[in-house]
Amino acid sequence: MARPGSGVLVSLGGGYSSQSMARVVVWEWLNEHGRWKPYSAAVCHHIENVLKGDARGTVILGQVDPQLTPYVIDLQSMHQFRQDTGTMRPVQRNFYDPSSAPGKGIVWEWENDCGSWTLYDMELCVSIQNAYEKQHPWLDLSSLGFSYLVDFDGMSQTNRQSQRKRRIRRRMDLAYPLIAGSIPKSQSWPVGTNSGSPCTCQQCLLVNSTRAASNAILALQQRRKLYGTEGGATAAVVRQSNTFAGTSLWSPTTTVAKRHHNNISLGGGGGGKVDMNGVKFPCIPAIMTLPSNHALTINGQNNLNRPGTQRITVTASRGSVPPGVPALPVKNLTGSGPFHPALAGMTGILMCAAGLPVCLTRAPKPILHPPPVSKSDLKPVPGINSIRRKTKKKHLRKGKKPEDVVRRYTEKIKTAPDEDCTICMEPLATASGYEGVLSYKGIKPELVGKLGKCGHMYHLLCLVAMYSNGNKDGSLQCPTCKAIYGEKTGTQPPGKMEYHVIPHSLPGYSDTKTIRIVYDIPAGIQTTEHPNPGKKYSARGFPRHCYLPDNEKGRKVLKLLIMAWDRHLIFTIGTSSTTGEMDTVVWNEIHHKTEFGSNLTGHGYPDPNYLDNVVRELAAQGVGEDNLKD
């Protein structure tokens, strides 16, 4: 139904005035692109509950959302901390009118390239909902820095530059927490008293150490501003890079003051505790009582060339540790090291802030590639004749009209059942919703057909419209159960795929060699099957190396991947989920293992379920084991 009125340019000021007594609270975190992203309403309720009990407390996000298990929020420093990587991001507490979208539990989302839904920034949600309630037919988001036009009639957003359209949706969710009282001027919470005995579970011990380290860094920076250095000696100083472009986060050498007073007591053995500002956590057994005059050399490198994140990677090797200075071994996340990386890292920061010498062992890094292999050691994969596959520009199959494809996979139904067509949402007993929009010879709007395999029924004209709007490759996919009729092909750009056996073993497959797959796709120009025909597309990170175990199941997966490559299904052109770059070559929902000797990123081994999972992903693309030739 058309919406009356004229369109509107979005206005700024989504937040709520501090003069009102009641308002909605939305907690947000700063991403690497400088945008504040809202937590879900359930997470915000959890944060507010913790805040009521302890304004200087720590919020364990995994208690309410399992996907956020690695994350904690320190309410005192207003930072989110990821315990397995050490990444810190600022958080903020924002306020909105109770009658706005978050107060009503209304969420606006857009459909990404993977077919899932992504939440708009909260200020955009508020602006979109305001325009929707006023029945504006469209909304221009350019004043908020987004070159998009939201169309409420078609429930879509259009990129004003590329003219690409995406679906949007409005759904109801849990309302965000409502509070009353004055809004604090600052979003950094003051240190308060905390009565009661601290929890001694492993999770809370890690959280307490994180909070103590954050407090120590903040206090150290304040002490430096107020008093400078002490007693003619150089105090321990934390120096942060302004550009995050690989410069050192720590001064190259730090000489500990001889007369530096602190309230940290360290004991050997493993039963001692460190007490700093009322926070207690267990000492690491490797820490011993140390002399107060030592040189500390830590060469820290920041490997994130972007603002908004802080990551400390200590690269001092065990061989350069001065005599008498303890080393805190940071364990591999999938190994059996003695200490959690967050606990070891934060303890090291605490000791540095207190003027005590310490050296951290090298943080675990993913092993992406095997040792060098000579060409003579590269062997063909047993059971597979070739070692290379090339693809050129895909030529659409001719002579297959949309109505012919639909007739091939359906059978006409004389009496339509009393149910709706899930494509046009009109009853099957009536004419198709595409009546008057599309016209095909022999396909009348009231005709109903049943798909042969799954038995789902639709208007034949609706199936023709769906096929015409897709890849037009001669295949048909049921919109209800995703069953594929015919041979599905994708929009993968031209490139090369190579595969061979190397004489090295993957973790978890020590008694087998490894199959290495090398994908190489150059940049080029998009064609009619791609999102923006005639526009250039980029190809980042190529050649890409992937790995499979050289056993029976690994070779079967390789054969299926070769078939998927030949059908242009491995890659596609879209928006990168990691960098946000548009018009670039991205993976197409078939997961690959790109990490050879570790599994720190989740894209490596050991992973006992990977081979079975990727077989299921291939089957969902129409590449099944029944397609393999003996």
Side-chain angles (χ1 to χ4, degrees):
M1 181 179 69
R3 300 172 63 83
S6 60
V8 63
L9 288 169
V10 65
S11 59
L12 297 173
Y16 190 46
S17 171
S18 60
Q19 302 300 323
S20 298
M21 296 301 295
R23 65 265 188 221
V24 172
V25 177
V26 177
W27 284 83
E28 301 168 317
W29 57 277
L30 187 67
N31 71 3
E32 60 269 24
H33 304 296
R35 299 293 305 178
W36 289 99
K37 310 299 291 185
Y39 292 101
S40 68
V43 171
C44 290
H45 278 279
H46 179 58
I47 298 174
E48 286 295 309
N49 290 336
V50 175
L51 179 63
K52 292 176 183 178
D54 185 4
R56 58 168 286 176
T58 301
V59 185
I60 304 174
L61 300 185
Q63 293 179 346
V64 65
D65 187 346
Q67 294 183 344
L68 300 180
T69 298
Y71 299 96
V72 297
I73 293 179
D74 179 21
L75 293 177
Q76 184 176 0
S77 65
M78 292 294 284
H79 274 78
Q80 171 190 277
F81 178 75
R82 179 161 179 164
Q83 299 181 68
D84 54 354
T85 65
T87 302
M88 298 175 67
R89 298 182 185 271
V91 299
Q92 71 175 10
R93 190 180 188 227
N94 217 342
F95 304 94
Y96 295 88
D97 193 299
S99 62
S100 64
K104 297 177 179 178
I106 297 174
V107 174
W108 285 87
E109 298 170 319
W110 56 275
E111 188 178 29
N112 59 34
D113 292 333
C114 298
S116 57
W117 295 92
T118 301
L119 177 67
Y120 280 100
D121 297 356
M122 189 52 66
E123 60 180 0
L124 294 183
C125 280
V126 171
S127 300
I128 293 173
Q129 178 61 22
N130 288 342
Y132 181 84
E133 291 178 348
K134 294 176 182 178
Q135 296 191 340
H136 292 297
W138 54 266
L139 178 66
D140 190 347
L141 302 178
S142 58
S143 61
L144 283 178
F146 295 91
S147 182
Y148 293 107
L149 190 69
V150 174
D151 176 17
F152 293 112
D153 290 335
M155 288 300 284
S156 64
Q157 74 169 23
T158 303
N159 188 314
R160 299 173 69 93
Q161 296 177 350
S162 66
Q163 296 302 310
R164 182 180 182 184
K165 282 189 176 182
R166 294 180 183 272
R167 291 194 302 164
I168 65 173
R169 73 176 183 182
R170 175 181 180 267
R171 66 177 179 85
M172 298 299 298
D173 199 356
L174 178 68
Y176 280 80
L178 183 70
I179 64 170
S182 60
I183 299 177
K185 296 180 179 180
S186 173
Q187 293 177 346
S188 296
W189 305 101
V191 177
T193 58
N194 184 12
S195 59
S197 302
C199 178
T200 59
C201 72
Q202 183 180 9
Q203 178 88 351
C204 289
L205 292 175
L206 295 175
V207 169
N208 287 339
S209 67
T210 301
R211 183 171 63 209
S214 177
N215 295 346
I217 293 174
L218 294 174
L220 189 63
Q221 292 173 340
Q222 291 297 325
R223 187 163 62 248
R224 181 189 181 190
K225 292 179 181 178
L226 294 176
Y227 305 110
T229 57
E230 289 185 1
T234 304
V237 174
V238 176
R239 186 178 65 181
Q240 180 173 317
S241 167
N242 291 327
T243 63
F244 291 92
T247 56
S248 177
L249 281 177
W250 300 80
S251 54
T253 58
T254 303
T255 305
V256 181
K258 293 183 179 180
R259 294 178 298 276
H260 187 82
H261 299 286
N262 57 72
N263 61 344
I264 294 185
S265 60
L266 298 178
K273 289 193 175 183
V274 175
D275 187 304
M276 171 166 275
N277 297 331
V279 181
K280 297 182 178 181
F281 58 94
C283 290
I284 294 180
I287 300 177
M288 301 180 295
T289 304
L290 304 171
S292 60
N293 186 8
H294 247 298
L296 172 64
T297 302
I298 299 182
N299 180 19
Q301 295 292 331
N302 190 302
N303 61 355
L304 292 183
N305 187 18
R306 59 177 183 261
T309 59
Q310 300 176 20
R311 181 178 302 211
I312 298 173
T313 305
V314 181
T315 59
S317 64
R318 292 298 299 271
S320 62
V321 179
V325 177
L328 305 182
V330 180
K331 77 173 183 179
N332 185 309
L333 297 183
T334 57
S336 57
F339 309 117
H340 193 282
L343 181 57
M346 292 302 104
T347 304
I349 295 173
L350 277 174
M351 294 180 67
C352 294
L356 296 174
V358 66
C359 185
L360 303 185
T361 59
R362 179 171 299 174
K365 295 182 179 180
I367 304 173
L368 299 178
H369 303 290
V373 180
S374 63
K375 289 186 177 180
S376 60
D377 290 331
L378 302 180
K379 305 298 181 182
V381 180
I384 299 179
N385 296 330
S386 62
I387 61 171
R388 185 180 294 107
R389 275 289 201 283
K390 289 185 178 181
T391 58
K392 299 180 180 180
K393 292 183 179 179
K394 191 177 73 173
H395 300 284
L396 296 179
R397 301 172 184 176
K398 298 180 180 180
K400 292 193 175 181
K401 298 180 180 179
E403 57 269 32
D404 294 335
V405 174
V406 170
R407 289 194 188 100
R408 178 179 179 183
Y409 300 118
T410 60
E411 57 182 68
K412 293 182 181 179
I413 300 297
K414 295 182 179 180
T415 303
D418 186 18
E419 59 185 63
D420 293 340
C421 171
T422 56
I423 299 178
C424 69
M425 303 309 296
E426 297 291 341
L428 289 172
T430 63
S432 166
Y434 287 93
E435 183 182 16
V437 179
L438 297 176
S439 177
Y440 286 91
K441 185 178 181 180
I443 304 292
K444 297 180 179 179
E446 61 272 10
L447 290 179
V448 176
K450 180 175 71 172
L451 291 171
K453 293 181 183 178
C454 60
H456 289 113
M457 288 177 280
Y458 308 93
H459 292 116
L460 291 181
L461 188 60
C462 291
L463 288 174
V464 171
M466 183 187 71
Y467 177 83
S468 300
N469 195 42
N471 203 20
K472 294 187 278 293
D473 58 356
S475 70
L476 199 65
Q477 187 166 15
C478 175
T480 301
C481 66
K482 308 303 180 183
I484 296 175
Y485 296 82
E487 183 179 298
K488 178 182 177 181
T489 59
T491 59
Q492 176 180 289
K496 180 174 63 175
M497 174 188 185
E498 295 183 356
Y499 34 87
H500 45 251
V501 176
I502 59 176
H504 299 290
S505 299
L506 294 167
Y509 298 93
S510 57
D511 52 350
T512 63
K513 296 180 181 180
T514 299
I515 299 171
R516 179 168 62 185
I517 306 171
V518 182
Y519 296 111
D520 196 4
I521 295 179
I525 305 295
Q526 299 183 53
T527 59
T528 54
E529 61 183 352
H530 296 134
N532 300 301
K535 187 177 180 180
K536 293 182 178 180
Y537 63 85
S538 61
R540 312 292 185 190
F542 288 95
R544 299 185 185 182
H545 292 217
C546 310
Y547 304 95
L548 293 168
D550 183 25
N551 56 21
E552 183 179 355
K553 185 175 287 188
R555 294 174 199 137
K556 180 180 70 175
V557 170
L558 175 61
K559 292 178 182 179
L560 293 173
L561 289 175
I562 293 173
M563 188 179 301
W565 172 269
D566 292 339
R567 297 182 184 180
H568 300 253
L569 295 170
I570 300 292
F571 295 95
T572 187
I573 295 176
T575 301
S576 171
S577 59
T578 55
T579 66
E581 181 182 8
M582 301 177 64
D583 298 305
T584 189
V585 180
V586 296
W587 294 106
N588 187 33
E589 299 182 7
I590 301 174
H591 286 83
H592 286 65
K593 291 296 187 181
T594 56
E595 194 175 341
F596 174 79
S598 56
N599 195 17
L600 298 183
T601 64
H603 302 299
Y605 295 91
D607 186 348
N609 299 320
Y610 167 68
L611 297 177
D612 292 329
N613 291 339
V614 75
V615 167
R616 285 192 288 268
E617 290 174 348
L618 287 160
Q621 298 285 349
V623 183
E625 298 180 52
D626 53 343
N627 300 127
L628 295 178
K629 297 179 180 179
D630 296 333

